[in-house]
Amino acid sequence: MKSFIVTRSQINSLAAELLSKNWSIFTQSEDRKRFKQCESESEISVDGNGKPSDVSFKELFFPKSETLFYFNRDNEELTLLDPAEPGTKTVIFGAKPCDAASVPVLSKVFNWDYNDEFFNKRVENTIVISIACSYSDESCFCTSVGLSPFSEIGSDLFLIPTEKDSFILKIVSEKGEKFINEFPFMIQKEFEGTFDLENQKASFPKEKFDFASVKEWLGKNFKDEIWNEVGELCLGCAQCAYVCPTCHCFDIVDENCGVSCGRRVKNWDSCQFGLFTKHASGHNPREDQSRRYRQRVNHKFNYYKQRFDEILCTGCGRCTRGCPVSIDIAQVLEKIQCKQSAAIV
Amino acid sequence: MNQLIESAKDIFQNNKAAIIIGYTKDKSGRTKPFIAHNSDEAEKLTFNHHAVNNLAVYLTRLEKPKDGKIGIVAKGCDIRAINALIQENQIRRDDVLIIAMNCNGVVENQNEEFSKENTQIKCKYCQLRTPNNYDFLLGELEDFELPEDSQQELMNKLEAMTPEERWNFWESQFGNCIKCYACRQVCPLCYCEQCIVEKSMPQWIETSSTTRGNFSWNLIRAFHQAGRCIGCHECERVCPMDIPLTLLTRKMGMIAMKEFNYKHGMNINEPTLIGTYSTSDNEDFIK
């Protein structure tokens, strides 16, 4: 697909035009906490240098609380009412490659045995404009899960900063192409050169572990001392899961909205909570934190790969940065890789 | 921190404790919680300005070792949590071996060098830089003036608000809550085996992250801390959304001090405020 040269002011014009046409626009907030909705084009952040937001943009596709339907009982009659369809056309500006890559990963599970219409509608209505990432810290590990700061997976359009206020705009998906064709001023100057990705590789985060070895070890070692080592320190909150771009567990509950009406809601949930697997009988197959942490790692780096041929992790490092007790998942996986190497020798 | 390592090794060699909960530095340079099980692992222990976690949280989370006490490295604020757990009959003093550290303040951001200005809020009004309950006391207390208590300004601002303005303030703050319950899990005094948000028959507290659900959770959490919070600020430190949670718990602590001259976790022999009743209790503040 084609690439074009665009300036920062053209990107601002695009945002202004979208706003005037009632599109919703999201971008990273200034404090880099989360993705916020913009009211003016001047708020747009297309910054490859910045830290990934503390909370991923997952909530724009899979909200933390989402009403499935409302119910109302009038005398003996029960009526059901659909919630408003998530119909707003949305553009996300300045997503990181480790954010964007989560969308196709999540799509697999949300279209597995059941098509989640809420999620699908949001994906259909959203254009993801990502930017090549030049940030990395001790928690980043995108290169260990098959991605890189230049990965275009999950993006519709991809920006590569060239010089000050100038970018290469790559069209990545058909949806992105159709979208950008509506804004001719963005596709005036075609980029005909080649971008030398090899040159950039020296600055990529170092590969911390070999995924294939990790997966192999996980498949063979359900019981191991390592789970107790991490489990005794893990406090069992869900921060790692809730800031994660790929964690997708939810719970479904009924809540009242008044005396005779209520709603069924889908809320984020996490395998790190004790209640998550507790049976009605009182039995809990994952009765302690070591078992719960083992589940988290296996789901991400073993089961999901088996079932969907995807790694349930984009290496963004949010779980590590946010962990109250600084558990570094990449360090845990490095240790696992060492165990696997030792087993082979 | 040779002094700490030497003491820890001595503890293991003489069977004074079965494990020691302390801090270590990982290969990326982060100072973080660590549990030493033997003399070799004791070599990895450290204590520095980034030893920010309140390790007392582990005292009620870990299984009690069969063969000895739990050793714990503790700063003044951690000691208050340990004292409070003893006062509330959650642990026995005899079951813990306290390796107390004179504390010169901690800084939250692992990548920031320590300075007076960037110490955690709790250090800015700390009254227990030298712990008051321990088996060993280590470290040197440096002479420094407590930095300005920056939270006070925000508290005054909230005080001056009308109830409606205050409601709006908290509505916007709680609106950010994603219900990860990190505030609960990291709190040394949130030790209930079943939290009220986990009671689902009936569901007392809505699990949804809506205005109503978020207010319910955050207010019930605050209520349960009334006069109990020992001010370690762990809840606020770990909140991924930076909700200023300690404004509520600190304010209640100040009320407990003003109305009942009580401060939790200062003396293991003192009955708890919530657990005692006196006919002379002041009721003026109930409006």
Side-chain angles (χ1 to χ4, degrees), chain A residues 72-79:
Chain A
N72 188 40
R73 198 176 60 197
D74 200 3
N75 294 322
E76 285 307 297
E77 207 185 336
L78 185 73
T79 47

Side-chain angles (χ1 to χ4, degrees), chain A residues 3 5 168 190-196:
Chain A
S3 296
I5 300 285
I168 299 170
E190 193 169 337
F191 173 69
E192 281 161 349
T194 45
F195 182 76
D196 188 6

Side-chain angles (χ1 to χ4, degrees), chain A residues 210-260:
Chain A
D210 172 52
F211 170 73
S213 314
V214 166
K215 182 176 176 299
E216 194 177 342
W217 187 90
L218 288 170
K220 291 180 191 156
N221 295 277
F222 196 62
K223 285 187 179 163
D224 191 86
E225 197 38 47
I226 194 166
W227 306 124
N228 291 336
E229 283 168 31
V230 190
E232 69 180 357
L233 290 167
C234 174
L235 291 172
C237 72
Q239 176 150 187
C240 50
Y242 287 5
V243 300
C244 173
T246 61
C247 272
H248 52 259
C249 286
F250 57 82
D251 184 28
I252 292 178
V253 291
D254 286 355
E255 281 175 359
N256 74 319
C257 301
V259 178
S260 61

Side-chain angles (χ1 to χ4, degrees), chain B residues 106-219:
Chain B
V106 287
V107 53
E108 201 169 305
N109 187 334
Q110 294 274 344
N111 298 320
E112 272 177 32
E113 284 291 311
F114 171 80
S115 79
K116 241 171 66 175
E117 287 66 38
N118 67 2
T119 53
Q120 257 205 320
I121 297 168
K122 65 179 176 189
C123 309
K124 297 181 176 175
Y125 61 94
C126 176
Q127 291 171 358
L128 212 59
R129 292 178 56 206
T130 295
N132 65 1
N133 179 17
Y134 50 80
D135 295 281
F136 304 93
L137 178 65
L138 307 177
E140 298 294 324
L141 204 59
E142 285 161 23
D143 189 27
F144 81 92
E145 245 174 81
L146 290 176
E148 200 186 331
D149 178 1
S150 49
Q151 195 178 36
Q152 196 62 54
E153 197 183 322
L154 186 55
M155 291 183 90
N156 294 342
K157 218 169 103 185
L158 274 169
E159 288 285 343
M161 285 182 184
T162 63
E164 198 194 348
E165 287 169 336
R166 217 176 295 154
W167 179 268
N168 293 340
F169 172 84
W170 285 111
E171 190 173 16
S172 73
Q173 292 293 346
F174 293 154
N176 291 326
C177 176
I178 55 173
K179 295 215 168 161
C180 66
Y181 300 120
C183 48
R184 177 186 72 188
Q185 295 309 105
V186 82
C187 175
L189 291 175
C190 259
Y191 49 69
C192 290
E193 275 182 34
Q194 193 183 22
C195 175
I196 189 160
V197 285
E198 290 169 350
K199 292 193 195 249
S200 55
M201 293 189 293
Q203 186 81 49
W204 294 104
I205 308 293
E206 282 181 359
T207 52
S208 290
S209 285
T210 52
T211 303
R212 191 168 69 173
N214 285 350
F215 261 94
S216 309
W217 160 243
N218 284 287
L219 290 185

